[in-house]
Amino acid sequence: MELALDLLDKNTLPRHIAIIMDGNGRWAKSQSMPRVFGHRNGVKAVREVTEASAELGIEYLTLYAFSKENWKRPRKEVNMLMKLFVSTVSKELSTLNKNNIRLKAIGDLESLPPDTLAALNNAIESTKDNDHMTLNLALNYSGRWELTEMTKSIAKDISSGSLNPEDISEESIVSRLLTSGTPDPELMIRTSGEHRISNFLLWQLSYAELVFSDILWPDFRKEELYKCILEYQRRERRFGMTSDQVVKS
Ligand code: IPE
Ligand code: IPE
Ligand code: MG
């Protein structure tokens, strides 16, 4: 059987892929293990997907790691996840630098525990000049929060007189989002068979192709990523036009 990698069209790869890494808890449960076992094993999938994306030449990879809603989980699980972020970011730092990957984080970062934020900032600073790929970690994220903050920023600029209401444009909105300067994801993948978008990048995903995989995140490997990209490449992105209008190369 031909591998999905060989079937990929290297000229029409997405520039930006976003992945909702879901299913760690169910993966652990299926092995009668505690949920945190699933999170620990999810790190391997993060490594694989990062490596595969960098090899393909994907410019931006956004990984949904922890939502604002996830604070509602049991205290022990939340604490373990925060510790896991610190240890993983520290452990992977040399690999990121070796592979010329820049780490960034998007979300309500200021509200993260101080040691999590410190480890993150350290890795962000240390990788800031890398330019092969940007790995964007979505941490303490919320799309509604992001849009609320954007609205506040616009309101402040209007009340200070630096922005006229008539001049509000898509650009004034985009420049106030967490992803300012980053192209929108063309492909969003969610694992574990859940068909929903997890309250993030609500503006940015407007025209993304959504691909859902039944694989639980700890089992997600390079081949699975290739299959998702292949599905993306088989879709016709019409952006409101008719099929005949879409120029096929
Ligand atoms: C995703 O896996 C990881 C995080 C939310 C951090 P889950 O923990 O949501 O796993 P399920 O959905 O319960 O299986
Ligand atoms: C989404 O989180 C997965 C993450 C990577 C954070 P959840 O698994 O908590 O999402 P919902 O609430 O079930 O959609
Ligand atoms: Mg989940």
Side-chain angles (χ1 to χ4, degrees):
M1 201 194 78
E2 207 160 0
L3 292 170
L5 177 60
D6 302 325
L7 299 171
L8 285 182
D9 177 356
K10 306 294 185 301
N11 299 313
T12 58
L13 291 168
R15 291 182 68 192
H16 185 174
I17 301 178
I19 308 183
I20 304 177
M21 314 183 285
D22 202 5
N24 294 352
R26 278 163 283 165
W27 185 87
K29 196 169 177 202
S30 73
Q31 307 183 34
S32 312
M33 295 296 279
R35 295 179 53 83
V36 294
F37 182 69
H39 298 317
R40 241 177 255 124
N41 280 276
V43 177
K44 171 115 173 76
V46 170
R47 245 183 251 126
E48 284 249 339
V49 163
T50 305
E51 197 178 282
S53 302
E55 284 164 357
L56 284 174
I58 304 297
E59 292 170 64
Y60 300 89
L61 173 67
T62 296
L63 299 178
Y64 290 48
F66 191 88
S67 72
K68 271 188 175 288
E69 288 79 19
N70 287 146
W71 293 109
K72 293 183 221 153
R73 292 190 178 199
R75 179 109 222 117
K76 265 175 82 173
E77 180 174 343
V78 170
N79 288 345
M80 181 274 173
L81 278 168
M82 291 301 144
K83 279 201 197 112
L84 188 66
F85 296 143
V86 173
S87 64
T88 306
V89 162
S90 316
K91 258 189 231 151
E92 300 301 321
L93 187 53
S94 59
T95 312
L96 291 174
N97 277 322
K98 199 174 78 208
N99 295 319
N100 198 12
I101 297 171
R102 175 180 191 178
L103 184 78
K104 276 199 184 176
I106 47 173
D108 182 4
L109 305 178
E110 298 304 317
S111 313
L112 285 169
D115 58 335
T116 308
L117 186 58
L120 207 57
N121 280 336
N122 175 50
I124 291 169
E125 174 63 25
S126 150
T127 61
K128 71 176 191 312
D129 295 325
N130 297 343
D131 60 6
H132 179 59
M133 183 178 87
T134 299
L135 173 61
N136 234 351
L137 281 188
L139 276 170
N140 202 13
Y141 67 76
S142 157
R144 289 182 177 180
W145 174 82
E146 180 188 30
L147 296 178
T148 307
E149 292 302 304
M150 177 273 293
T151 309
K152 271 190 217 163
S153 158
I154 287 188
K156 275 185 197 149
D157 287 351
I158 288 175
S159 71
S160 74
S162 60
L163 182 66
N164 287 320
E166 303 76 44
D167 293 336
I168 298 175
S169 60
E170 291 203 5
E171 286 68 36
S172 31
I173 291 174
V174 167
S175 67
R176 288 169 173 83
L177 297 178
L178 298 166
T179 49
S180 161
T182 307
D184 290 339
E186 298 96 328
L187 167 61
M188 194 283 282
I189 301 168
R190 184 167 186 156
T191 62
S192 85
E194 303 293 1
H195 296 189
R196 50 178 180 262
I197 55 172
S198 193
N199 185 18
F200 200 41
L201 304 182
L202 300 178
W203 171 286
Q204 297 89 330
L205 290 175
S206 297
Y207 259 113
E209 292 298 328
L210 311 182
V211 172
F212 300 101
S213 161
D214 286 333
I215 305 282
L216 301 174
W217 180 250
D219 286 333
F220 202 87
R221 291 293 174 268
K222 289 185 181 184
E223 181 65 9
E224 198 54 34
L225 177 72
Y226 303 146
K227 281 187 199 157
C228 291
I229 300 176
L230 202 56
E231 177 165 344
Y232 158 84
Q233 290 186 330
R234 286 179 176 152
R235 304 253 179 104
E236 183 178 62
R237 305 189 77 207
R238 289 191 290 277
F239 300 101
M241 292 178 284
T242 66
S243 191
D244 287 345
Q245 287 175 298
V246 180
V247 186
K248 288 267 176 203
S249 54

